Amino acid sequence: MIQAEAQRADEDGFLVATENPPDEQTQIILLSGLASFNESRVGPDPVRDPRNHLCVVARDAAGRVRGGLQGVIVGAWLATDLVWVEESYRRRGLGARLLAEAEAEALRRGCKWAILATFDYQAPGFYSRRGYVEYARMEDFPWGSTRFQLRKTLT
C-alpha cells in the first residue's frame, strides 16, 4: 500500500504525501509534465538528440576499450557525464588525452565552456590541473564524501 492511501485530503482537496517508491505511471506523468513545460520555453531537450552526444573512446591495439568519456553538448556547453580509464592504464596520460579530445570536439561544435562533476575520491586534482575550477561543493554527498562541480572556459 502506498503511504498516501492512508492519509486524508486537505481542505483544498489535495493529498500531499511521500510515495516510495512511486509507481511507474506516476513517474511518467512527472517526467513528461516537466519535459513538456521545458520544451514550451526552450525547445526540444538537447540531451534527447543523439547528434548532441559526445563519446571519446581509448582502445588498445587489440581493440579493447581501456577508457572513455561521455558527455552531451547543451547550447554552448560541453557537459561531461563520465570519464573512466581502466586502472592499469591510469597515470599514463590517457585521461588527459580523452579530455583534450572531447574539449577539441566541443570547440568544433561551437562550445565555449565545459562543466562536469567529480567526487573527492575520484579526480578533482586531475581536472584542476587541466584548467577546471570549482564553482560548487556538496558536502556529505553521499555521507562522508564531497561532490565538486567544476567548469572551464574552452579556448
Side-chain angles (χ1 to χ4, degrees):
M1 170 180 7
I2 296 175
Q3 187 176 357
E5 294 174 7
Q7 298 181 4
R8 298 177 57 209
D10 65 15
E11 61 275 359
D12 294 324
F14 290 101
L15 175 61
V16 178
T18 301
E19 297 182 10
N20 279 333
D23 61 63
E24 187 175 336
Q25 185 61 33
T26 298
Q27 290 177 332
I28 291 169
I29 291 168
L30 296 174
L31 290 171
S32 63
L34 180 59
S36 178
F37 173 80
N38 290 347
E39 288 184 13
S40 74
R41 301 305 192 274
V42 296
D45 183 353
V47 175
R48 292 185 185 175
D49 186 342
R51 293 173 296 181
N52 294 329
H53 294 190
L54 177 63
C55 183
V56 180
V57 180
R59 297 178 186 271
D60 65 15
R64 291 183 297 266
V65 174
R66 300 302 187 171
L69 178 151
Q70 288 185 352
V72 64
I73 306 297
V74 180
W77 291 83
L78 163 61
T80 299
D81 297 320
L82 71 85
V83 178
W84 172 78
V85 174
E86 189 174 311
E87 193 162 350
S88 61
Y89 291 87
R90 292 178 190 162
R91 292 180 172 66
R92 296 185 186 183
L94 191 52
R97 290 173 58 195
L98 292 165
L99 197 58
E101 177 58 31
E103 292 171 358
E105 178 61 21
L107 281 167
R108 286 189 288 274
R109 296 190 195 186
C111 289
K112 298 177 184 176
W113 305 282
I115 59 171
L116 57 84
T118 191
F119 292 89
D120 55 353
Y121 58 85
Q122 290 180 329
F126 167 82
Y127 296 111
S128 66
R129 289 188 299 275
R130 282 151 189 85
Y132 284 78
V133 295
E134 178 183 333
Y135 70 90
R137 176 184 296 213
M138 298 163 59
E139 304 289 339
D140 286 329
F141 188 87
W143 290 109
S145 297
T146 301
R147 177 180 168 151
F148 300 95
Q149 297 290 135
L150 307 174
R151 69 177 173 223
K152 178 180 181 178
T153 299
L154 301 176
T155 56

